[in-house]
Amino acid sequence: MTKKSGSVQINGESFEILDLPGTYSLFPNSEDEIIAHRVLNQTRLEAKPDYVLMIIDSSQLSRGLFLATQLIDLGINLALILNMADLAEKKKP
């Protein structure tokens, strides 16, 4: 997969949106993770994303939270959304 991008205007201000699917770690072991690593580890301050909205599969919470801690360590502004709560509920012992 490759990153997908688009733009949106809100109150006259333009924002670029990047979608980095299939990423669970910044240790690049897959093509998806290599792309995410390049985008999120930019050394130029102006190239780093201002914010990251991370959507985590609730049924695989530890996997998503691992990446979240890596993003926090990079000092990236981060908001988390949990989805697939219905699947997580079914997996409960």
Side-chain angles (χ1 to χ4, degrees), residues 17-40:
I17 310 277
L18 295 176
D19 182 11
L20 303 171
T23 304
Y24 297 101
S25 167
L26 292 181
F27 300 119
N29 292 316
S30 70
E31 183 180 341
D32 292 334
E33 290 170 349
I34 290 169
I35 292 166
H37 185 271
R38 287 181 186 152
V39 170
L40 297 170

Side-chain angles (χ1 to χ4, degrees), residues 39-72:
V39 170
L40 297 170
N41 281 305
Q42 294 288 330
T43 55
R44 296 178 302 135
L45 188 57
E46 67 275 4
K48 275 193 172 186
D50 294 320
Y51 305 98
V52 170
L53 177 61
M54 184 175 176
I55 301 171
I56 297 176
D57 179 343
S58 295
S59 66
Q60 298 185 33
L61 196 54
S62 62
R63 204 171 179 188
L65 290 176
F66 177 68
L67 176 58
T69 60
Q70 291 178 313
L71 297 176
I72 291 166

Side-chain angles (χ1 to χ4, degrees), residues 66-86:
F66 177 68
L67 176 58
T69 60
Q70 291 178 313
L71 297 176
I72 291 166
D73 288 345
L74 289 175
I76 293 176
N77 295 315
L78 178 67
L80 301 175
I81 294 177
L82 301 177
N83 71 351
M84 309 290 242
D86 54 334

